[in-house]
């Protein structure tokens, strides 16, 4: 069991890479650095070499500045796509990190797992992580339960991309003169993207379509706050989908905590009020709690627990893969 030294927590997502150097004993963060360059995904999945190109120089510089001698006690890396695209990371990173940093304890986690650990730590419960996409994760500390997180074409129901797409559909219905349209959302869409007739050409060729769709979600929330019934109905449907995902993953026995984490929930009352009502109906014995931290905090939590031998969250090959 390791009780001293340093650990590294890493959060790899669509907006780049964040790295935290922390004390192994208590998880207190000494320094955080970030890169705005997302780790590439190629034919073999998430590109291990590209992640290491960013991680190793930054980690070595942080350790020098901290005056830390010797090896790193543990590293935890949470990555978007780890569950389905992480085979190369699981194959390459253990040897590479041991050689470069002396790491013998490594946790490779889906970003939903680090979001969970950051939000409510190592206790049973449910976390819904919402941003451009959306996933719900629950555990009784024996196994993981997952709902959604299937991307904007197959799911992510209630996410920023889902809300934005529904809002743009309502705008185009108004443009066509069909039922279910919103003139207010049409005006907001044209203010953001230009003439409605040009929207398909502006949207469909984009490789970042989910993010572009999600960029319209705040407009939908503002429309609902201003009294647009179509926008309010979109957010009510989103709230129902989010609560349904949370209910699908809750542990079987007893009351549980539910935490919401991610930028989606910064949309404010137009989403949070109906979501609170839906959670009360679908999870009447659950307690909604504020998220204690974000996915980088969760990565630090995992690394510190791994170093001290106190990791309680369930090990599953594609959700939380442990080495050492």
């Amino acid at each position: 069991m390791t009780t001293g030294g340093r650990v590294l927590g890493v959060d790899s997502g669509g907006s780049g890479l964040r790295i935290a150097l922390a004390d192994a004993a208590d998880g207190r963060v000494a320094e955080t650095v970030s890169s705005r360059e997302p780790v590439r995904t190629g034919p073999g999945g998430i590109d291990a070499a590209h992640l290491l190109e960013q991680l190793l120089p930054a980690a070595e510089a942080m350790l020098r500045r901290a005056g830390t001698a010797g090896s790193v006690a543990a590293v935890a890396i949470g990555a978007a796509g780890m569950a389905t695209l992480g085979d190369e990371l699981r194959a390459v990173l253990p040897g590479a990190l041991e050689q470069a940093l002396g790491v013998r304890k490594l946790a490779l986690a889906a970003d939903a797992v680090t979001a969970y650990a950051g939000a409510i730590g190592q206790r049973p419960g449910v976390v819904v992580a919402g941003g451009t996409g959306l996933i719900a994760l629950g555990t009784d500390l024996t196994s993981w339960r997952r709902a959604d997180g299937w991307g904007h074409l197959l799911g992510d129901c209630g996410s920023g991309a889902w809300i934005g797409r529904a809002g743009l559909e309502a705008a185009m219905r108004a443009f066509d003169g069909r039922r279910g349209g919103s003139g207010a959302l049409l005006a907001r869409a044209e203010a953001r993207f230009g003439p409605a007739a040009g929207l398909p050409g502006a949207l469909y060729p984009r490789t970042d379509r989910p993010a572009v769709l999600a960029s319209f979600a705040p407009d939908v929330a503002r429309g609902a706050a201003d009294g647009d019934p179509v926008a309010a109905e979109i957010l009510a449907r989103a709230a129902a989908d989010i609560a349904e995902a949370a209910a699908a993953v809750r542990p079987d026995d007893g009351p549980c905590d539910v935490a919401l984490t991610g930028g989606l929930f910064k949309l404010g009352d137009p989403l949070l009020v109906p979501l609170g009502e839906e959670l009360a109906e679908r999870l009447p014995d659950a307690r909604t709690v504020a998220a204690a931290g974000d996915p980088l905090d969760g990565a630090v939590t995992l690394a510190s627990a791994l170093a001290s031998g106190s990791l309680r969250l369930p090990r599953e090959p594609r959700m939380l893969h442990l080495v050492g």
Side-chain angles (χ1 to χ4, degrees):
M1 178 182 297
T2 301
T3 57
R6 300 284 185 164
V7 296
L8 289 169
V10 182
D11 175 44
S12 175
S15 59
L17 194 73
R18 297 186 299 154
I19 308 162
L21 179 68
D23 186 85
D26 59 13
R28 182 172 52 86
V29 174
E31 184 183 0
T32 301
V33 300
S34 61
S35 163
R36 293 183 178 273
E37 184 179 4
V39 175
R40 291 189 296 263
T41 299
I46 302 170
D47 189 329
H50 191 222
L51 187 149
L52 289 166
E53 286 171 13
Q54 298 187 62
L55 171 59
L56 291 180
E60 290 165 353
M62 294 168 79
L63 289 165
R64 284 196 301 271
R65 287 192 292 270
T68 302
S71 63
V72 176
V75 174
I77 299 174
M82 179 74 79
T84 53
L85 299 170
D87 286 348
E88 185 175 315
L89 296 187
R90 287 184 281 268
V92 172
L93 292 189
L97 290 173
E98 181 176 1
Q99 181 176 1
L101 300 175
V103 176
R104 294 183 180 276
K105 294 185 176 183
L106 173 64
L108 298 175
D111 58 340
V113 171
T114 49
Y116 186 101
I120 63 175
Q122 296 199 82
R123 64 182 193 270
V126 171
V127 170
V128 180
T132 296
L134 186 134
I135 186 170
L137 199 64
T139 184
D140 57 3
L141 300 186
T142 299
S143 63
W144 294 104
R145 290 183 177 179
R146 164 186 173 162
D148 215 336
W150 305 122
H152 75 292
L153 293 178
L154 298 177
D156 285 355
C157 299
S159 68
W162 186 96
I163 292 169
R165 189 213 60 78
L168 291 172
E169 180 188 345
M172 299 310 291
R173 283 180 174 273
F175 181 71
D176 290 343
R178 291 180 288 149
R179 287 188 305 171
S182 165
L185 290 178
L186 175 59
R188 291 178 184 275
E190 291 192 322
R192 181 173 291 274
F193 298 110
L199 186 56
L203 179 62
Y204 292 154
R206 296 283 293 263
T207 57
D208 59 345
R209 280 188 302 276
V212 176
L213 292 170
S215 74
F216 193 60
D219 293 282
V220 179
R222 283 190 286 269
D226 290 342
D228 178 6
V230 174
E233 175 60 24
I234 289 169
L235 291 173
R237 292 186 349 242
D241 281 334
I242 295 167
E244 187 174 84
V249 302
R250 64 154 299 157
D252 290 330
D253 297 326
C256 72
D257 289 343
V258 177
L260 309 174
T261 184
L264 175 67
F265 303 107
K266 295 178 182 178
L267 292 179
D269 283 352
L271 176 62
L272 295 180
V273 169
L275 178 54
E277 295 169 353
E278 291 284 349
L279 288 171
E281 179 179 344
R282 295 173 186 269
L283 293 162
D285 59 348
R287 180 180 65 147
T288 301
V289 299
D294 67 10
L296 183 59
D297 298 312
V300 170
T301 295
L302 293 179
S304 180
L306 188 60
S308 65
S310 61
L311 186 63
R312 300 176 62 210
L313 294 175
R315 177 191 301 204
E316 288 189 9
R318 293 187 175 275
M319 297 297 290
L320 180 56
H321 175 72
L322 303 182
V323 176

